[in-house]
């Protein structure tokens, strides 16, 4: 693993790609990256919840438990 002097990388103990390193040098870029990762995580969580609800409804309908 490469050594790094980037503070944000040292916090996560992970060496990031060069294009991310450039973005993380500035506070604005770091905040933007954190915001986008949070939005992506929220979107995936919402999709998982919708799938769980849909699968539950389909199971209930197929078992005739709703009657």
């Amino acid at each position: 693993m490469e050594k790094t002097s980037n503070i944000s990388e040292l916090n996560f103990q992970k060496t990031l790609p060069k294009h991310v390193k450039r973005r993380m040098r500035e506070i604005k870029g770091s905040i933007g990256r954190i915001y986008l990762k949070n939005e992506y995580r929220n979107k995936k969580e919402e999709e998982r919840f919708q799938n769980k609800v849909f699968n539950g409804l389909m199971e209930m309908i197929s078992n005739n438990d709703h009657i």
Side-chain angles (χ1 to χ4, degrees):
M1 181 183 288
E2 296 178 31
K3 290 190 176 188
T4 182
S5 61
N6 190 328
I7 294 171
S8 59
E9 287 186 35
L10 292 174
N11 287 334
F12 295 112
Q13 296 295 311
K14 179 178 175 183
T15 302
L16 301 170
K18 209 172 220 181
H19 71 279
V20 174
K21 285 183 186 182
R22 277 188 234 121
R23 187 174 297 138
M24 298 288 275
R25 283 184 191 152
E26 300 176 0
I27 298 294
K28 184 179 177 184
S30 297
I31 291 171
R33 181 167 168 80
I34 291 167
Y35 173 78
L36 288 174
K37 288 198 71 92
N38 190 36
E39 286 294 313
Y40 178 77
R41 191 176 302 125
N42 288 341
K43 181 181 174 187
K44 287 294 185 184
E45 188 174 315
E46 180 67 26
E47 288 175 4
R48 275 188 245 123
F49 176 75
Q50 292 295 332
N51 286 338
K52 186 176 178 182
V53 169
F54 178 75
N55 290 339
L57 287 173
M58 293 307 289
E59 183 179 331
M60 186 172 65
I61 290 170
S62 66
N63 292 336
N64 290 326
D65 291 339
H66 64 287
I67 301 176

